[in-house]
Amino acid sequence: MENIELANGIAWLEQIGLSEGLIAACIVGIFGLCGVIISLNFERKKEYKAFLRMKFEELVIRLVDFAALIKEAEAKRFLNNYEKDLDIDKLYREGGKIEILIALYFPELEEKYVLFLKAGGDLLTAQREYEVSPSDDVLNKLKQYEEGFDKIYDDFYEHIKLCSSTYAQPLKRRNRV
C-alpha cells in the first residue's frame, strides 16, 4: 500500500515536471538540512554546558573568597590586629555578585546560600560586638557563631560538591583518528 502511495506521489511530481533526480536531490537536501540543524543544536548545548561550567567555577571561587573575608576578620581578632577594619562595602559587593550568579544560573543553591550569608552576617556582628565590649559572655556567644558559621559553610560546601557533578564535569572529547 505504501509503495502504491509512493509511486502515485512520484507520478504526480513527474506530471508537474519534476524528475526523479530532482526529487532525490530535494530529499537529500532536506535530510542534509535536518543534519545541520541537529548538529547546530548539539554544538549550542555543548557551548552552554561549557558556559555553565565557567560560571560554576567562578561562583565557587567567589564563595571561597567571601568566606575568607569573614574568616579574616576572625583571625584579626585573635591576632589583636584591628588597624585595618573589615571593608563592609567589599563584603556586600562580593555577596551581591555571588547572589546574582546563583539567581541567574544556580537557583538550587539559593536556600543554602541564604543560610550561609546569614551565618556570616551573624558572625561579623558578634565579632564587632566583641571588639566594642569584650567579655566572657560575648566571647562565648562569638564562639557559638563561629561554630555555626563553620558548620553552615561545611554544609553549603557539601551541597556545592553534590551540584558540581552537574556543572563541573569534564567535557567529553571526541576521539580523533
Side-chain angles (χ1 to χ4, degrees):
M1 181 81 170
E2 291 177 14
N3 288 340
I4 294 172
E5 290 176 3
L6 180 62
N8 287 340
I10 291 174
W12 178 78
L13 291 172
E14 286 176 348
Q15 287 177 357
I16 61 171
L18 295 177
S19 68
E20 288 178 10
L22 185 57
I23 294 168
C26 288
I27 292 172
V28 168
I30 289 170
F31 283 131
L33 184 59
C34 289
V36 168
I37 291 170
I38 290 169
S39 177
L40 287 174
N41 189 33
F42 176 75
E43 285 299 315
R44 184 171 172 230
K45 285 181 180 179
K46 186 176 164 185
E47 287 173 4
Y48 185 69
K49 191 174 185 177
F51 172 77
L52 278 180
R53 178 186 174 137
M54 288 187 315
K55 289 297 180 185
F56 189 77
E57 289 170 355
E58 178 185 347
L59 173 69
V60 171
I61 290 168
R62 287 187 182 279
L63 282 168
V64 169
D65 288 346
F66 189 76
L69 285 173
I70 294 170
K71 288 298 201 170
E72 180 180 297
E74 180 183 349
K76 285 179 183 177
R77 178 178 55 82
F78 284 113
L79 296 173
N80 293 325
N81 183 10
Y82 299 120
E83 71 270 358
K84 182 183 173 196
D85 288 334
L86 177 67
D87 186 356
I88 296 294
D89 291 334
K90 181 177 181 180
L91 198 67
Y92 282 125
R93 281 191 307 274
E94 290 305 311
K97 291 174 187 176
I98 293 167
E99 201 166 340
I100 289 169
L101 284 170
I102 288 174
L104 291 176
Y105 305 111
F106 313 106
E108 65 276 15
L109 297 176
E110 188 170 3
E111 185 179 320
K112 296 276 186 183
Y113 176 68
V114 168
L115 293 173
F116 169 73
L117 196 59
K118 182 179 177 335
D122 290 345
L123 178 57
L124 288 174
T125 302
Q127 288 169 348
R128 289 290 182 203
E129 186 178 341
Y130 183 75
E131 289 173 15
V132 172
S133 59
S135 69
D136 288 340
D137 289 339
V138 176
L139 181 60
N140 289 334
K141 184 177 170 184
L142 176 58
K143 286 180 183 179
Q144 288 174 347
Y145 281 122
E146 288 169 352
E147 290 171 5
F149 176 78
D150 289 341
K151 183 184 180 321
I152 288 175
Y153 177 74
D154 291 343
D155 289 347
F156 189 35
Y157 185 74
E158 288 301 316
H159 187 65
I160 288 171
K161 286 189 337 189
L162 290 174
C163 292
S164 71
S165 63
T166 303
Y167 300 111
Q169 56 185 306
L171 299 174
K172 294 179 182 175
R173 295 189 177 136
R174 295 185 213 169
N175 292 335
R176 296 184 187 239
V177 180

